[in-house]
Structures are given as structure tokens and as C-alpha cells.
Amino acid sequence: MADAARHNLALFGAAGSGKGTQAKFLRRELGVEHIATGEMLRHERSQGTELGQTVAAYLDAGKLVPDEVIVAMIRHRLGDPQADAGFVLDGFPRTVAQARALQQMLASLERPLDVAVVLDVPTEQLISRLALRARLEERGDDTPDVIAERLRIYRDQTEPVLEYLAQSVPVVRLDGAQPVEEVSQALLQAIA
Ligand code: ADP
């Protein structure tokens, strides 16, 4: 797509719903900046930075990193000039407090969110996708107990973010159980 429209979007969906895969597709397709908080945190951790050491225990337990830590980390990424074609948020905001902070940051940058897209996938399918990923990738948080915790936190803390955002932004729900390419096409249509 060669148009110069700016796309500022936030992708939602539980662990294993395909947010990362679809965000990478949008980066290739639209040139948007991909801002993935989980990847940023794992990177900090693998580099052994102070931030990485602070967050390691949260990552291992599948618990949310404190809001103020995440908000500070994301603040400068949003102001990045590379985000000129737009950005796709992957894994943020995950709490209503983060969503409030996001709205404030975006208002002061004059880069308001255009749309929130949710990838809906049935829980049994999420669990089997994550079990498969655990065999393919080295991620300490893809064990059954930690997966259950991440899914619970998504339901309890992140689903309410969608109600909050719906007051000011369109929220589109897509069937994330379809094949990857079909989800990608539905996503492009949703943000066109
Ligand atoms: P998934 O969506 O598969 O759970 P992510 O890579 O998005 O994986 O996140 C992995 C972990 O990183 C989360 O379980 C949490 O510990 C931390 N994390 C990522 N984003 C946030 C956020 N916005 N707020 C708090 N913690 C976060």
C-alpha cells in the first residue's frame, strides 16, 4: 500500500492470539513502527540492563510489569520520528492506567490513536498454540502454569481496557482463529 495515510493502532488479544505476527505484517505492508513491549522487555533482560534485571521476575511469573516502568519505557518510542507513518502497539496498553497514560502521551504528541483491533481466539486454541511455541522457541513464560496466569491477567486487567478505549476510539474485533493470511486481510480492511 503506497498511500501516505497515517495509521496509529493498538492490537489486542490474549497471549498466543497472533498479535506479534500481525503487527510484523503491518510493519512490512504499511511501514508503521512496531512497538512490542514484551519484545522490548525480553531484549532488556537478555542484555542484563538495570531495567532488564528489574523486570525478570515479572516476565518469568507471567505477571504484569508495574505500570510506571512500562509507561516510562514506551514514552520515548512514541515520540520517535520513525513513527511518522504511524505505529502499531503490540502488548500495550494492558491496564486501564496504562491506557490513560497512553492517551495523554498521544494527545501531547498530536498522534491520537485511530483504532483498536482485537484478535479473538478461543482459549483452547490459545493454549495449544502456546504449547507448540514452547517447543519451538526459548521462552521461559510458555509453561502451563504461567500461560494460565497470563490468560487470567488478560481477562481481568486487559479486557477492561477495551471498554475504556471504546469511549474515544473505534474498537474492532476480528476472528483470530482464521488462517494467518485471512486475519491479515481482515485487519487491512478494518483499518482502511
Ligand atoms: P504475550 O502476549 O504472549 O503474553 P508479550 O511478549 O506481549 O507476550 O509479553 C510478555 C510479558 O511481558 C508479559 O507477561 C508481562 O510480564 C510483560 N509485559 C509486556 N507488556 C506489558 C505491559 N504493557 N504491561 C506490563 N507488563 C507487560
Side-chain angles (χ1 to χ4, degrees):
M1 247 195 230
D3 70 27
R6 178 183 276 173
H7 297 91
N8 294 340
L9 62 137
L11 266 186
F12 289 87
S17 61
K19 293 188 301 291
T21 302
Q22 297 302 333
K24 289 184 180 83
F25 166 78
L26 291 176
R27 179 178 59 195
R28 286 197 305 275
E29 193 73 10
L30 304 173
V32 294
E33 172 114 331
H34 176 199
I35 301 177
T37 45
E39 277 178 21
M40 290 165 77
L41 294 168
R42 284 189 292 279
H43 177 74
E44 294 288 337
R45 185 210 193 148
S46 71
Q47 299 297 305
T49 64
E50 204 181 320
L51 174 59
Q53 291 173 28
T54 307
V55 301
Y58 294 97
L59 295 181
D60 288 341
K63 306 269 188 215
L64 294 183
V65 167
D67 290 331
E68 57 279 12
V69 174
I70 284 285
V71 170
M73 184 181 82
I74 206 140
R75 192 177 295 277
H76 74 280
R77 275 299 289 277
L78 287 170
D80 191 332
Q82 281 178 16
D84 264 357
F87 54 77
V88 50
L89 295 172
D90 164 4
F92 177 88
R94 263 173 150 98
T95 65
V96 172
Q98 291 180 17
R100 287 210 182 91
L102 173 68
Q103 296 286 55
Q104 278 173 12
M105 289 188 275
L106 294 179
S108 63
L109 291 165
E110 299 185 2
R111 290 183 168 184
L113 204 57
D114 297 313
V115 62
V117 179
V118 190
L119 304 179
D120 278 321
V121 177
T123 306
E124 307 77 69
Q125 197 170 334
L126 294 172
I127 291 171
S128 58
R129 285 183 185 181
L130 290 167
L132 180 68
R133 186 168 82 185
R135 292 205 292 274
L136 301 173
E137 282 176 36
E138 193 77 13
R139 251 182 79 164
D141 62 352
D142 279 344
T143 62
D145 286 358
V146 178
I147 287 170
E149 179 67 358
R150 283 152 65 212
L151 296 178
R152 186 186 67 74
I153 291 176
Y154 181 81
R155 191 191 59 221
D156 294 350
Q157 308 231 49
T158 308
E159 281 284 347
V161 172
L162 295 164
E163 283 163 47
Y164 168 77
L165 285 180
Q167 296 166 18
S168 52
V169 180
V171 174
V172 180
R173 299 195 89 103
L174 300 180
D175 174 7
Q178 306 173 87
V180 172
E181 296 73 24
E182 288 175 32
V183 178
S184 298
Q185 291 315 310
L187 187 51
L188 283 182
Q189 277 175 16
I191 65 176

